[in-house]
Amino acid sequence: MALEKLNGVELPAAADMHVHLRDGDMTKLVIPTIRRGGVNTVFVMPNLVPPITTVHHALDYKERLQALEPNVTFLMSLYLHPNISPETVIEAKQKGVTGIKSYPHGVTTHSDHGVMSYEPFFPVFAEMERQDMVLNLHGELPPSVGEDVTVLNAEEAFLPTLLDLHKRFPKLRIILEHCTSAAALKAVQSCGPTVAATITAHHLFMIVDDWAGDPHCFCKPVAKLPSDRRALLKAVVSGDSKFFFGTDSAPHPATSKRGEKFAAGVFTQPHAVGLVIDALEMGIETGVLTADDVTEEKLANFLSHYGRSFYKVADERNERIILSKPAKPIEEILKTEDGKIEVVPFRRGRMSWDAIWK
Ligand code: NCD
Ligand code: ZN
């Protein structure tokens, strides 16, 4: 095992800065998997239908999540939408909503209400900058007829928009969510300290060949080329505070993965921390990284400290997890008690590292 040295190592509990927890029975199924994955703080992107665009709804949703799991800190976001005005931003800040997430129109799950153009939102962004709120960007350019934009280059094609927003609102904290390409990492690096990016566990494993043919590996943005995967693995152990953990765990009922047009989203929550260690091991085994690249300090920073510090949230729970080498495989399926909803986890049946609560 390439990272045997991590067995028994203690880390601060992870902060997962990009999760989808859904509603109703699906939420009840998913919520206990947050702590199972070694995580005690999550940034929630509700992505519900209809989208959450008011502070009242966001807080109501948060209360429901908190009632189901009192031992997790839930940081909340609104869905960027014409309903949101500068006044909404002021109210959101006052009442403890952390960020606003932008989904470009039509690029991912539930993005029918997404953004067509950023310009109408400039007054909202200006107020967010004044209020020191976080703008979370799903960074993909929607496909448009006649243009050479596909799932493969939609992220790269979005990067000029990221740079433009940063230039217009230099103090606005912006996160390029779930970045998947070497080009995106480079663009984020070229920005000032107010711009950061989340990296998922699944994008450390996958390339195009993995999702072409397997709906459980299909998510947006899609995994890209081996060179992009190499760049992501290196970013995790780079020690650069611009890059931190956000799983983008996105559970979908197995039925909507079996349909003719399957839903985008990969479910990684139950093994959030373990999968990162698994991926780094794969990186070592394939010669992308060395075991020396992976240190306790870099893991603690990527998984816990950098995200909290970008979001300016204290580690109020002050809990620790212990890494334990793979002892059992990832479950094939998770089911609600009544068996009505089934969700298939990423890398089902494979061995994965465990995060045990101290
Ligand atoms: C997410 C979902 O299912 O809510 N899907 C995904 O493929 N990542 C939405 C999103 O973050 O794009
Ligand atoms: Zn997401």
Side-chain angles (χ1 to χ4, degrees), residues 46-65:
N47 205 18
L48 304 179
V49 182
I52 290 192
T53 61
T54 69
V55 174
H56 171 76
H57 282 134
L59 296 182
D60 178 65
Y61 182 50
K62 176 179 179 171
E63 228 172 78
R64 282 183 281 130
L65 297 174

Side-chain angles (χ1 to χ4, degrees), residues 205 270-278 324-330 347 349-355:
F205 281 101
H271 303 274
V273 166
L275 285 166
V276 172
I277 312 295
D278 303 337
S324 173
K325 67 180 176 188
K328 55 179 186 305
I330 293 175
R347 286 180 70 77
R350 317 270 185 102
M351 301 297 280
S352 180
W353 281 72
D354 251 338

